[in-house]
Amino acid sequence: QSALTQPRSVSGSPGQSVAISCTATSSDVGSYNYVSWYQHRPGKAPKLVIYDVSKRPSGVPDRFSGSKSGNTASLTISGLQAEDEADYYCSSYAGTWVFGGGTKLTVL
Amino acid sequence: QVQLQESGPGLVKPSQTLSLTCTVSGGSISSGSYYWSWIRQPAGKGLEWIGRVQTSGSTDYNPSLKSRVTISVDTSKNHFSLHLSSVTAADTAVYYCARWWSRSYYFDYWGQGNLVTVSP
């Protein structure tokens, strides 16, 4: 059982927005501002899309945004595109690394 | 552009030692202050951090695996390695290597992963 809980799947149509939640089972997310999100397409290396809760690495479209409220962090993808279809994982550092179980995003 | 590539056997027998290497290209493993990490994902489960090494040789491991894990670095070959002893079927997973800048809390580069199956 992961220390961070994510929905197993979400879906949306092209152009829509989707949000993926990441809820801490303890203080892993709630007490720290070190939440990161990774996009993982099959057969590819995971890619960092959000770090420090809401910061975007260079080259990541501004359609990707992150936020946190209480013990729940969220990744929002607006203006969905077919290429966004992937698994998304959240992670937090709380003395050691904890990860979510992953969310499969399907673009309908 | 930094790239990481895992390599090693895809099949290991129970009770033996799993050994993987992560080769870093596009930059020197010794440049900057980075933690070079191993992360794994059993089929159908979430990611699990295994541990990390610095080029100084300093290591840190996940407490749940600490007794069985050794991570080492070879700067002359620009790679770092994972050794996991006394493996069981529960160690079957895709193993990833990743880079973590020491002044941050995220992994900025990952390898594509190496599936290791533990089976007789």
Side-chain angles (χ1 to χ4, degrees):
Chain A
Q1 185 177 355
S2 301
L4 301 177
T5 301
Q6 297 180 235
R8 294 188 72 90
S9 64
V10 297
S11 63
S13 299
Q16 288 186 332
S17 293
V18 294
I20 300 172
S21 61
C22 171
T23 301
T25 55
S26 61
S27 63
D28 305 280
V29 170
S31 300
Y32 298 90
N33 290 316
Y34 303 130
V35 178
S36 52
W37 290 89
Y38 303 89
Q39 177 190 67
H40 190 199
R41 296 190 181 103
K44 301 289 188 180
K47 176 186 176 183
L48 176 69
V49 294
I50 292 289
Y51 68 97
D52 292 354
V53 175
S54 60
K55 298 177 181 177
R56 247 185 347 267
S58 173
V60 173
D62 60 6
R63 303 184 294 104
F64 291 81
S65 63
S67 62
K68 184 169 75 72
S69 177
N71 67 338
T72 298
S74 297
L75 171 70
T76 300
I77 308 171
S78 59
L80 266 181
Q81 299 182 3
E83 66 196 46
D84 299 331
E85 187 161 292
D87 293 328
Y88 290 85
Y89 294 90
C90 62
S91 176
S92 178
Y93 186 79
T96 187
W97 287 99
V98 290
F99 292 91
T103 299
K104 181 175 181 59
L105 168 61
T106 301
V107 181
L108 302 170
Chain B
Q1 177 83 350
V2 171
Q3 291 186 321
L4 286 72
Q5 180 66 58
E6 305 88 351
S7 59
L11 182 64
V12 180
K13 289 181 168 47
S15 80
Q16 293 189 341
T17 296
L18 178 161
S19 296
L20 294 172
T21 295
C22 180
T23 300
V24 179
S25 59
S28 170
I29 199 170
S30 299
S31 66
S33 183
Y34 296 102
Y35 297 141
W36 302 94
S37 286
W38 287 97
I39 296 161
R40 71 180 183 178
Q41 183 175 28
K45 297 186 178 180
L47 296 162
E48 179 182 34
W49 181 72
I50 299 170
R52 59 85 173 161
V53 65
Q54 286 181 279
T55 51
S56 64
S58 169
T59 55
D60 187 26
Y61 301 127
N62 186 323
S64 68
L65 297 168
K66 189 173 184 176
S67 64
R68 300 193 291 128
V69 174
T70 302
I71 299 176
S72 59
V73 62
D74 188 334
T75 55
S76 67
K77 295 181 179 178
N78 225 42
H79 75 206
F80 60 107
S81 300
L82 167 70
H83 300 282
L84 180 65
S85 64
S86 304
V87 297
T88 69
D91 295 309
T92 294
V94 177
Y95 286 76
Y96 298 95
C97 56
R99 189 180 84 166
W100 161 21
W101 183 44
S102 64
R103 296 181 186 178
S104 71
Y105 295 98
Y106 55 85
F107 299 98
D108 58 355
Y109 290 101
W110 296 64
Q112 290 186 330
N114 192 120
L115 174 62
V116 179
T117 301
V118 179
S119 180

